[in-house]
Amino acid sequence: MQEEVTRREVVAVDAEQQKQNIQQELMQLRQNSDHQIKSKVKLIEEAEYNRKKVEEEIRLIRLQLENTERQREGAETELQELRARAEEAERQKRQAQEEAERLRRQVKEESQKKREAEEELKRKVQAEREAAR
């Protein structure tokens, strides 16, 4: 009977020791789990922060791209206007050159007519002088 009591006491002590071991192991698992959760939360927060930073960078790049596109469009418009003005200036230059050439021909023709008229007049005057003699 004493053996049975001793055996029960040993079993009870073993059971208590196992209970404490299990509780300690459970406590360690909880601590590990809590640590892992905190670590994962930190990783998630860092990922969220990085995502927001990237989104902000993308937003800024889009704004810069829009500004660049507006500037390019403005430059293209200005270039078209300058080309049109250059074409108009070239057209006016050609017109002025043609007008100058027409005027030169006209002056040349009128000078020729004047010389011919002067020569004709000289001949008439000479003929009248000869007739008067």
Side-chain angles (χ1 to χ4, degrees), residues 8-126:
R8 285 184 186 211
E9 287 175 354
V10 169
V11 168
V13 168
D14 281 349
E16 184 60 34
Q17 184 64 39
Q18 283 182 350
K19 178 182 170 188
Q20 287 178 0
N21 288 345
I22 289 172
Q23 285 177 341
Q24 190 174 12
E25 192 175 327
L26 183 59
M27 176 87 70
Q28 186 65 38
L29 286 172
R30 281 186 185 145
Q31 287 175 351
N32 288 344
S33 179
D34 286 346
H35 179 71
Q36 286 178 348
I37 289 170
K38 287 177 184 176
S39 179
K40 300 272 187 205
V41 166
K42 185 176 179 184
L43 287 174
I44 290 170
E45 288 172 350
E46 287 176 3
E48 182 66 16
Y49 173 77
N50 289 333
R51 183 186 65 78
K52 287 180 180 179
K53 262 178 61 174
V54 167
E55 285 176 352
E56 180 62 15
E57 288 176 19
I58 289 170
R59 186 185 71 77
L60 292 175
I61 289 170
R62 282 190 176 139
L63 288 174
Q64 290 173 343
L65 181 61
E66 289 171 5
N67 287 337
T68 301
E69 184 63 23
R70 277 194 296 275
Q71 289 173 349
R72 184 188 63 78
E73 288 171 358
E76 284 180 354
T77 300
E78 186 176 348
L79 178 61
Q80 288 173 348
E81 290 170 0
L82 288 172
R83 283 183 177 154
R85 287 173 38 198
E87 287 174 6
E88 178 61 19
E90 186 62 29
R91 186 188 66 74
Q92 289 176 357
K93 177 184 167 188
R94 279 192 310 273
Q95 233 177 3
Q97 287 173 335
E98 290 170 1
E99 180 67 14
E101 185 59 32
R102 185 187 66 77
L103 290 173
R104 274 194 292 276
R105 282 192 307 268
Q106 184 178 351
V107 166
K108 186 178 177 182
E109 288 172 6
E110 289 177 5
S111 293
Q112 180 67 28
K113 287 179 185 177
K114 181 182 173 188
R115 275 193 304 275
E116 290 172 359
E118 287 173 352
E119 289 174 10
E120 181 66 27
L121 183 60
K122 279 183 188 177
R123 280 193 301 272
K124 284 182 182 180
V125 168
Q126 187 67 31

